[in-house]
Amino acid sequence: MTEALDIADRLSAAPSKGLRGHIAVPGDKSISHRALILGGMAEGETRIEGLLEGRDVLHTAAAVRALGAKVTRLGDGLWTVQGAEWRSPEAPIDCGNSGTGARLLLGAAAGYEIHATFTGDESLRSRPMRRVLDPLRQMGARTDDGDRLPVTIRGGGLHGISYRSPTASAQVKSAVLLAGLHAQGEVEVIEPARSRDHTERMLRAFGCDVEVDGKAVRLGVGRRLRATDIMVPGDPSSAAFLLVAALIVPNSEVTVYGVLTNKLRTGLFETLLEMGADLSFANRRIVGGEEVADITARSSALTAVEVDPGRVPSMIDEFPILAVAAACASGQTLMHGLAELRVKESDRLAAILIGLKSCGVSAAIIGDTLMVDGCDGPCAGGGAVTTHGDHRIAMSFLTLGLAARGPVAVDEAEMIGTSFPGFAGLMASLGARIGEGR
Ligand code: S3P
């Protein structure tokens, strides 16, 4: 029954009585992409445990294979990657819905004497790529002009760069660092604010010299990658839906085990704590060079908060679900500095606003600020939300439906499998009234 939910085209969520359980979520998406790509570039065989088997990551696995590495699935989440000198693929590489896959692979491929064409689904083909192509061209890669996929890149013969990135984007930073592994000379990326640092951490785990100096990251002279074992912790961006669901549905208590708590990813949890959320962190430990904890959320009366732009990079994917928490809180929540949300899997800023309004929540966008007037408890619900093919919009509004007065339906649900296969079944196992269609 729960398996059927996870392949349903349409889902709806109805007011629920209390969510309870102890669960784990699938592996972190960012770390999963990087493990496959670095494993594919390294000497020797990398073993990955807990790989996210969502469609985005499976596209990256297929890409790394097409570029010459041997990628093998041994069992649930257990994969090996035998690295190789990359070669030109026979056909265009389809990155599906994944901006991370496309941008990191473009960077990695730029370092090799190969040519490769990258493309993706309709959403990915509408997303900006110049942000990675510009620095790669400055390093000597030859690519098509333009800002959109498909893009053909001719790599090799790269030189170093000191790149001042205009946006705090881990995808841009990572593309330059991965290209830099095969560049001559100094390679440095300076960000306006620190973005997630999984590439830096994992490069070190693969034996590469990486220096982090405030907002600057530099590759050292030792740039050879040697295979290693990677354990992928649970994805905090997926855990977010279950934890917020427990906060906003009365009589709930949910524990999610083994969630990544890297400080550059925990902006949502910090914000929820400021809103008065009953969130607790236990068994803090290090797994595969990353901080992990078991997180428990209990039903809470939330109050509005103001999110500073400085916090945005550490919760860039969590604004849809924060908006849902804000809709149930008392008072007006302000979230500043959200320009980047316009170029995610959908125009997320617009999608959040329209979704909230269709559920009876008053909200507005002024410049790059999102304002949400909290309902101080359940909002009306009853909406049919347009997701624009965006997994996080779908999961966020289904979460809202569990705590609204009327059910909330989403027009598409199958793309949830890009990042969180099993989402609906897992929610249902906690007691959420989530079902097919409407
Ligand atoms: C990611 C970085 C973020 C995030 C994306 C994953 C990554 O994008 O939105 O889901 O793995 O590097 P930006 O780097 O473009 O902000």
Side-chain angles (χ1 to χ4, degrees):
M1 132 74 183
T2 56
E3 275 165 24
L5 283 182
D6 289 317
I7 52 168
D9 282 344
R10 283 155 169 263
L11 286 173
S12 66
S16 300
K17 290 239 164 51
L19 308 180
R20 299 205 159 244
H22 295 67
I23 46 164
V25 290
D28 185 69
K29 182 151 73 72
S30 294
I31 294 179
S32 295
H33 283 294
R34 287 160 173 79
L36 289 166
I37 294 171
L38 292 188
M41 300 172 85
E43 291 163 29
E45 185 176 273
T46 291
R47 188 172 183 279
I48 310 168
E49 239 179 90
L51 188 86
L52 167 64
E53 294 180 335
R55 279 201 300 283
D56 276 9
V57 174
L58 297 180
H59 277 287
T60 292
V64 169
R65 196 179 279 134
L67 287 157
K70 187 171 174 221
V71 182
T72 311
R73 181 178 190 272
L74 301 178
D76 278 356
L78 185 60
W79 292 60
T80 55
V81 185
Q82 179 72 47
E85 181 72 18
W86 286 12
R87 55 169 154 75
S88 301
E90 282 160 18
I93 289 181
D94 179 6
C95 299
N97 192 240
S98 178
T100 308
R103 295 187 180 121
L104 268 57
L105 285 163
L106 277 163
Y112 294 92
E113 303 269 342
I114 63 171
H115 59 93
T117 300
F118 293 87
T119 190
D121 70 7
E122 202 185 326
S123 150
L124 186 55
R125 280 187 275 114
S126 73
R127 294 178 65 187
M129 290 294 147
R130 193 171 283 136
R131 52 180 60 201
V132 292
L133 297 177
D134 275 351
L136 296 178
R137 275 196 289 261
Q138 287 171 35
M139 296 173 83
R142 284 143 299 151
T143 77
D144 303 333
D145 284 341
D147 193 20
R148 300 284 187 265
L149 297 181
V151 162
T152 299
I153 189 158
R154 287 172 188 278
L158 302 188
H159 45 78
I161 190 172
S162 173
Y163 187 63
R164 216 166 255 285
S165 178
T167 32
S169 163
Q171 296 180 357
V172 172
K173 172 176 64 180
S174 302
V176 174
L177 294 176
L178 294 176
L181 292 174
H182 293 111
Q184 295 293 324
E186 297 220 344
V187 172
E188 176 184 54
V189 185
I190 305 148
E191 298 192 278
R194 288 189 73 194
S195 63
R196 64 190 69 191
D197 61 354
H198 308 304
T199 301
E200 297 89 301
R201 286 171 186 255
M202 206 181 285
L203 281 170
R204 285 201 186 114
F206 276 86
C208 178
D209 291 343
V210 182
E211 189 193 322
V212 179
D213 179 5
K215 295 170 191 160
V217 181
R218 261 167 244 117
L219 291 183
V221 275
R223 297 184 190 175
R224 264 175 71 191
L225 302 183
R226 289 179 198 82
T228 186
D229 290 349
I230 309 272
M231 295 263 290
V232 184
D235 195 331
S237 301
S238 296
F241 303 107
L242 308 170
L243 294 169
V244 169
L247 295 176
I248 62 177
V249 173
N251 300 313
S252 299
E253 179 172 333
V254 170
T255 299
V256 189
Y257 289 115
V259 182
L260 175 73
T261 51
N262 178 318
K263 293 279 175 297
L264 296 167
R265 294 287 297 280
T266 50
L268 173 74
F269 301 142
E270 285 158 36
T271 306
L272 291 170
L273 287 169
E274 289 168 9
M275 294 173 83
D278 184 349
L279 272 186
S280 53
F281 298 76
N283 298 324
R284 288 189 185 272
R285 55 204 185 270
I286 302 289
V287 172
E290 292 276 6
E291 261 183 52
V292 163
D294 304 334
I295 309 181
T296 299
R298 297 179 191 88
S299 313
S300 306
L302 300 175
T303 51
V305 72
E306 185 161 358
V307 183
D308 188 80
R311 190 173 279 171
V312 172
S314 68
M315 55 176 299
I316 185 71
D317 292 335
E318 277 68 75
F319 284 96
I321 193 63
L322 177 62
V324 165
C328 302
S330 60
Q332 185 178 69
T333 290
L334 295 172
M335 307 169 214
H336 301 294
L338 303 191
E340 274 291 298
L341 264 66
R342 296 200 167 91
V343 291
K344 292 297 176 186
E345 285 82 330
S346 67
D347 176 346
R348 269 189 190 155
L349 206 44
I352 295 171
L353 182 73
I354 296 165
L356 287 174
K357 286 187 169 169
S358 75
C359 293
V361 181
S362 149
I365 297 170
I366 298 170
D368 295 333
T369 295
L370 175 65
M371 272 170 28
V372 179
D373 288 318
C375 303
D376 197 5
C379 64
V385 172
T386 310
T387 58
H388 300 281
D390 187 327
H391 54 134
R392 298 201 198 280
I393 295 296
M395 289 186 276
S396 297
F397 283 98
L398 288 167
T399 303
L400 184 61
L402 305 176
R405 292 197 298 277
V408 173
V410 297
D411 65 340
E412 278 184 78
E414 69 70 54
M415 76 305 216
I416 289 173
T418 58
S419 70
F420 195 165
F423 164 78
L426 208 49
M427 273 286 196
S429 76
L430 297 173
R433 290 174 62 210
I434 196 158
E436 259 186 84
R438 193 176 70 163

